[in-house]
C-alpha cells in the first residue's frame, strides 16, 4: 500500500478547546496549520463543560492569583507541579480577557464586568472564605468557548480535517517527531502528514470505564499514539469520579438532588450513608460518598440482579419540588434509567469523569521524558495540551472550573512555544519510509484477521474490568487480579476481527483502532494504580488509607513497551513565590 | 449500508446524552425513514449539541413547524 504525503508546518490532533486555542495562536502568526478531528470541531467534548473558567478577576469579591494557586495545589493533594500551577493561575485573567475580546458571550454584572460565581474548592486568603472565581456563559460555557474559537480559526484560515483520525506518530531513530499518520474516515485512505511540530490535543480517555460521563469519542487516542512511540504516560492512576451517574448510561445526576433531600439506599433499603458519615450523611464530599457506595456494592449490598448499583431515592419528595427545584432530573431519569423518580428511585453508580494523568509535558506544552541526562528531556517536535496532557496542574485531583482554564492557558502557551521552536527548526526533516510501516501493519492486520473476537465484545470486557478492579475505591487483591486481566484483554484488543473490510467510511475499523487506544489507557491506569501504595486525591486505596509523602510524593511514569514503571519528583518550587508544603487536606 | 455508517458517525457528539439518544434513534427508526424525514433528521444533526439537547428536552421550541413530528420521535425514543 502506498501512502500519500502532505506537508504542514504544524499538525494538531484534536479540535477541542486546547487544540483550537493553539491553532488560533499559530494561524494568526502565519503558520500553516492542519487540525485533525474525528468529529466536527464544535462537537468536541469541551462542549459538555458547564461550570465555567476559573480566573481571579475579583469582579464580585476580592481575589488574587496566589489564592487561586493555593487552592489548586491543595486540591491536587500536593501532587501538582507548583511552577505550572503558578503559571496557569497568573495567566488566567489574561486568557479570559482575551476570550472576551474574541467575542465570548460571558455573563455580565450590572456594571458591565464579567459576572463570576462561587464554585467548590475556591477560597480567599489561603483557605479562608468562599471565593467567587468562576466566569461562565450561562450553563453552556464549553459550548460558547468552542464556537468562539472555531469562528476565529475559520477567519484565521486554520485548515480543518474533519472526520480524520490520528493513527501513529512518525519519528526518526533519535525519537524526534516528524509528523503523524492519519486515517481519512470518508475514503479509508492513510495519509502521512509531515510537520515540524505535532501537537496532541485529543482529550480524555474516560471510555475505559463502564460508567463514564465522557462522550463516545473520548477514547484516549493521543495517549495511545504516544504510548506506542515509547513516550511514558504520567499519573494515570488518578481519575476523578462523580458519585451519581445513571447506572448503565453514565449521564450525571446533579449533586443538587441530594441537596434537596434525596438519599442513597442499598439493597436492604438501608440509608447507608448514616454509617459512613453520621453528620453529613448523603451530603458528604464526593469521594466519601463514592467510596461508601463502592463498599456497599463490594460487600454484597448492591441493588439489582447483579447487585452492582445503588438506588438514589427522591420519591419521598413532593412532585412539585422535583419538578421545580430539580429541572431536567426527572427527564434524565426517565430517558436514561427508564424510571420516573416521582414514583421510583434512580439506579446510580460512581462514574468516571476526568483523567488527571496523561502525556508528560512542561509548562510550555513540550513533551518531556526521562532520557539520558535528566528526568524531563524535551522530545523534539512533540507537544501535548488539554486533558490528554499531564503538565501537571491537577496533580491527584482537579478543581472544578480549572479544566477550561487549563486548556486555554496551555493551548495558548504551547502555540507560542511552537512558534519559537519553528524559528530554530526551519526545515522539514525527511523521514524514513519505514516510519509509517507501523500504521499500515496495524490496518493490514485488521483486514486479514480471522477468527477474532468482535470489537464490541472486547470493549465491553475491558470497561467492566476497569470498573470492577480499578474504580473509585481500590483494593489490593482486585488491583493485582486486574493487572493480569487487563493485560490479557489488551492482548485480545490486538486480535479483534471486523466483518466490514471496505475502505469507504468504515466505522468498524475506526472503532477497532479506538479500542487499541483504550487498551493502552486501561493498562497504564491499572498498572500505575496497583503500584501506588497510598491514598492521595482521587486515588483511594482500601489497604493504604492515608497519603504517604515520604514514599509517594512523586509522579508515576508508565512505559507501554515493557509495562514498566518509573517515577519522577514533583516540582515543588514555584516560579516566583514560596512553595506550598504538603499539609493534611481538609475542607 | 455506507449511509447508515455515515449517519451513525455523525451521531457521535460532544455530549454523552446525545450520543445515547441519537444512537437509540438510529437503531429504532433510521431504516424506516423516507427521503423527507431523512433530510429532516439531517437538519437536527447539523444543530449545535446544546441547541439539539434543549429541543429534545423541550427547553427550547423549534421554529419550523414541519420539523415537529421528527422532534417528537427524538423526544420519546
Amino acid at each position: 500500500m502506498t501512502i500519500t504525503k502532505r506537508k504542514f508546518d504544524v499538525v494538531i490532533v484534536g479540535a477541542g478547546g486546547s487544540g483550537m486555542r493553539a491553532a488560533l495562536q499559530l494561524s494568526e502568526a502565519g503558520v500553516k496549520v492542519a487540525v485533525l478531528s474525528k468529529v466536527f470541531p464544535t462537537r468536541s467534548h469541551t462542549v459538555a463543560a458547564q461550570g465555567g473558567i476559573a480566573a481571579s478577576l475579583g469582579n464580585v469579591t476580592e481575589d488574587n492569583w496566589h489564592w487561586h494557586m493555593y487552592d489548586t495545589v491543595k486540591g491536587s493533594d500536593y501532587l501538582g507541579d507548583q511552577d505550572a500551577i503558578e503559571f496557569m493561575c497568573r495567566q488566567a485573567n489574561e486568557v479570559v480577557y482575551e476570550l472576551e475580546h474574541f467575542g465570548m458571550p460571558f455573563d455580565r454584572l450590572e456594571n458591565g464586568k464579567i459576572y463570576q460565581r462561587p464554585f467548590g474548592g475556591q477560597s480567599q486568603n489561603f483557605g479562608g472564605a468562599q471565593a467567587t472565581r468562576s466566569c461562565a456563559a450561562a450553563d453552556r460555557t464549553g459550548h460558547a468557548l468552542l464556537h468562539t474559537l472555531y469562528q476565529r480559526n475559520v477567519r484565521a484560515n486554520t485548515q480543518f480535517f474533519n472526520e480524520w483520525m490520528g493513527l501513529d506518530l512518525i519519528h526518526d531513530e533519535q525519537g524526534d517527531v516528524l509528523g503523524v499518520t492519519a486515517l481519512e474516515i470518508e475514503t479509508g485512505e492513510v495519509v502521512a502528514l509531515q510537520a515540524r511540530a505535532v501537537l496532541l490535543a485529543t482529550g480524555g480517555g474516560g471510555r475505559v470505564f463502564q460508567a463514564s460521563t465522557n462522550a463516545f469519542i473520548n477514547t484516549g487516542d493521543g495517549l495511545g499514539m504516544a504510548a506506542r512511540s515509547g513516550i511514558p504516560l504520567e499519573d494515570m492512576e488518578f481519575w476523578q469520579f462523580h458519585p451519581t451517574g445513571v447506572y448503565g448510561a453514565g449521564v450525571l445526576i446533579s449533586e443538587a438532588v441530594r441537596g434537596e433531600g434525596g438519599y442513597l439506599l442499598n439493597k436492604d433499603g438501608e440509608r447507608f450513608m448514616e454509617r459512613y458519615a453520621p453528620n453529613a450523611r448523603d451530603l458528604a464530599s464526593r469521594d466519601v460518598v463514592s467510596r461508601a457506595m463502592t463498599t456497599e456494592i463490594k460487600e454484597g449490598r448492591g441493588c439489582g440482579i447483579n447487585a452492582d448499583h445503588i438506588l438514589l431515592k427522591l420519591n419521598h419528595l413532593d412532585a412539585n419540588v422535583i419538578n421545580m427545584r430539580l429541572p431536567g432530573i426527572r427527564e434524565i431519569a426517565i430517558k436514561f434509567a427508564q424510571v420516573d423518580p416521582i414514583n421510583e428511585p434512580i439506579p446510580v453508580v460512581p462514574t468516571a469523569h476526568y483523567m488527571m494523568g496523561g502525556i508528560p509535558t512542561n509548562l510550555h506544552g513540550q513533551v518531556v521524558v526521562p532520557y539520558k541526562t535528566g528526568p524531563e528531556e524535551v522530545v523534539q517536535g512533540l507537544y501535548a495540551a488539554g486533558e490528554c496532557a499531564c503538565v501537571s496542574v491537577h496533580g491527584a485531583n482537579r478543581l472544578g472550573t480549572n479544566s477550561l482554564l487549563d486548556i486555554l492557558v496551555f493551548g495558548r502557551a504551547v502555540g507560542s512555544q511552537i512558534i519559537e521552536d519553528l524559528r530554530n527548526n526551519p526545515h522539514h526533516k525527511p523521514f524514513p519510509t519505514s516510519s509509517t510501516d507501523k500504521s499500515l501493519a496495524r490496518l493490514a492486520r485488521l483486514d486479514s484477521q480471522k477468527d477474532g473476537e468482535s470489537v464490541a465484545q472486547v470493549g465491553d470486557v475491558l470497561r467492566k474490568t476497569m470498573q470492577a478492579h480499578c474504580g473509585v475505591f481500590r483494593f489490593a487483591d482486585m488491583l493485582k487480579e486486574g493487572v493480569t486481566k487487563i493485560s490479557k484483554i489488551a492482548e485480545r484488543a490486538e486480535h479483534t476481527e471486523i466483518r466490514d473490510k471496505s475502505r469507504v467510511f468504515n466505522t468498524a475499523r475506526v472503532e477497532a483502532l479506538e479500542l487499541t487506544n483504550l487498551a493502552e489507557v486501561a493498562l497504564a491506569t491499572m498498572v500505575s494504580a496497583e503500584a501506588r501504595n497510598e491514598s492521595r486525591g482521587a486515588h483511594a486505596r482500601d489497604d493504604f488509607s492515608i497519603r504517604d509523602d515520604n514514599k509517594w510524593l512523586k509522579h508515576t511514569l508508565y512505559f507501554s513497551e515493557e509495562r514498566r514503571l518509573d517515577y519522577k519528583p514533583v516540582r515543588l518550587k514555584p516560579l516566583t513565590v514560596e512553595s506550598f508544603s504538603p499539609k493534611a487536606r481538609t475542607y | 449500508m455506507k449511509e447508515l455508517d455515515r449517519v451513525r458517525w455523525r451521531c457521535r457528539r460532544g455530549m454523552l446524552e446525545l450520543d445515547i439518544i441519537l444512537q437509540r434513534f438510529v437503531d429504532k427508526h433510521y431504516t424506516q425513514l423516507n427521503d423527507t424525514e431523512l433530510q429532516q433528521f439531517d437538519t437536527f444533526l447539523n444543530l449545535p449539541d446544546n441547541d439539539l439537547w434543549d429541543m429534545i428536552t423541550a427547553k427550547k421550541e423549534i421554529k419550523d413547524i414541519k420539523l415537529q413530528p421528527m422532534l417528537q420521535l427524538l423526544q420519546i425514543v
Side-chain angles (χ1 to χ4, degrees), chain A residues 310-322:
Chain A
I310 293 295
L311 293 174
L312 175 58
K313 181 180 159 70
L314 53 159
N315 50 323
H316 56 289
L317 301 175
D318 193 86
N320 283 329
V321 172
I322 296 175

Side-chain angles (χ1 to χ4, degrees), chain A residues 152-191:
Chain A
R152 293 288 294 203
N153 267 294
V154 168
R155 222 197 295 173
N157 289 321
T158 300
Q159 210 175 334
F160 286 98
F161 291 74
N162 299 333
E163 298 180 338
W164 281 60
M165 180 186 185
L167 296 178
D168 291 288
L169 297 172
I170 297 171
H171 46 78
D172 62 14
E173 272 159 22
Q174 286 84 53
D176 294 1
V177 173
L178 309 172
V180 292
T181 51
L183 174 73
E184 182 180 18
I185 300 174
E186 178 63 48
T187 60
E189 196 187 353
V190 177
V191 179

Side-chain angles (χ1 to χ4, degrees), chain A residues 481-517:
Chain A
E481 206 184 322
V483 171
T484 315
K485 280 191 180 177
I486 213 77
S487 303
K488 285 186 188 143
I489 294 165
E491 196 58 39
R492 285 160 69 185
E494 298 298 331
H495 297 96
T496 52
E497 182 181 350
I498 51 173
R499 268 191 240 148
D500 181 2
K501 318 262 190 204
S502 62
R503 300 279 298 272
V504 173
F505 227 100
N506 187 338
T507 51
R509 175 177 292 151
V510 175
E511 284 166 6
L513 294 166
E514 287 178 331
L515 178 64
T516 57
N517 293 329

Side-chain angles (χ1 to χ4, degrees), chain A residues 234-410:
Chain A
E234 180 176 346
D235 292 343
M236 290 299 291
E237 60 272 46
F238 298 101
W239 289 81
Q240 187 173 73
F241 283 74
H242 192 289
T244 56
V246 173
Y247 170 67
V251 175
L252 277 190
I253 299 282
S254 151
E255 247 129 16
V257 169
R258 279 170 288 135
E260 288 295 339
Y263 53 80
L264 297 162
L265 297 175
N266 63 19
K267 79 167 168 90
D268 305 320
E270 184 204 2
R271 192 172 172 184
F272 60 86
M273 280 312 299
E274 290 177 342
R275 269 190 280 121
Y276 296 88
N279 297 316
R281 296 192 290 185
D282 298 85
L283 294 177
S285 67
R286 279 186 186 180
D287 36 332
V288 171
V289 176
S290 296
R291 277 202 293 278
M293 292 168 73
T294 308
T295 306
E296 289 299 298
I297 293 169
K298 183 161 193 280
E299 292 180 355
R301 291 188 294 276
C303 306
I305 307 167
N306 298 318
D308 58 356
H309 60 268
I310 293 295
L311 293 174
L312 175 58
K313 181 180 159 70
L314 53 159
N315 50 323
H316 56 289
L317 301 175
D318 193 86
N320 283 329
V321 172
I322 296 175
N323 286 327
M324 302 296 293
R325 296 241 192 91
L326 302 168
I329 295 298
R330 191 171 169 214
E331 227 142 5
I332 282 176
I334 292 171
K335 275 191 197 310
F336 299 110
Q338 285 81 43
V339 301
D340 185 342
I342 289 182
N343 306 315
E344 279 177 89
I346 310 170
V348 291
V349 283
T351 300
H353 187 51
Y354 186 87
M355 175 181 86
M356 271 73 73
I359 304 159
T361 73
N362 60 21
L363 57 81
H364 309 294
Q366 296 168 304
V367 173
V368 289
V369 300
Y371 179 71
K372 286 182 189 163
T373 46
E376 296 185 312
E377 295 295 304
V378 171
V379 178
Q380 296 301 324
L382 186 62
Y383 306 79
E387 192 171 336
C388 78
C390 185
V391 184
S392 142
V393 284
H394 307 303
N397 214 344
R398 176 185 66 88
L399 290 188
T401 71
N402 263 354
S403 53
L404 289 184
L405 178 62
D406 166 9
I407 66 181
L408 286 169
V409 167
F410 294 102

Side-chain angles (χ1 to χ4, degrees), chain B residues 2-44:
Chain B
K2 283 297 155 184
E3 268 319 300
L4 186 60
D5 267 342
R6 255 189 209 97
V7 86
R8 269 192 195 288
W9 194 254
R10 280 159 202 171
C11 292
R12 287 255 204 141
R13 312 298 288 205
M15 285 172 71
L16 176 65
E17 288 85 343
L18 287 175
D19 275 338
I20 297 171
I21 292 292
L22 294 173
Q23 188 179 50
R24 236 186 245 170
F25 179 91
V26 170
D27 288 343
K28 198 165 165 192
H29 299 298
Y30 190 75
T31 52
Q32 284 121 54
L33 300 182
N34 64 33
D35 286 353
T36 317
E37 289 168 329
L38 285 172
Q39 262 180 19
Q40 290 179 343
F41 183 53
D42 206 48
T43 306
F44 282 105

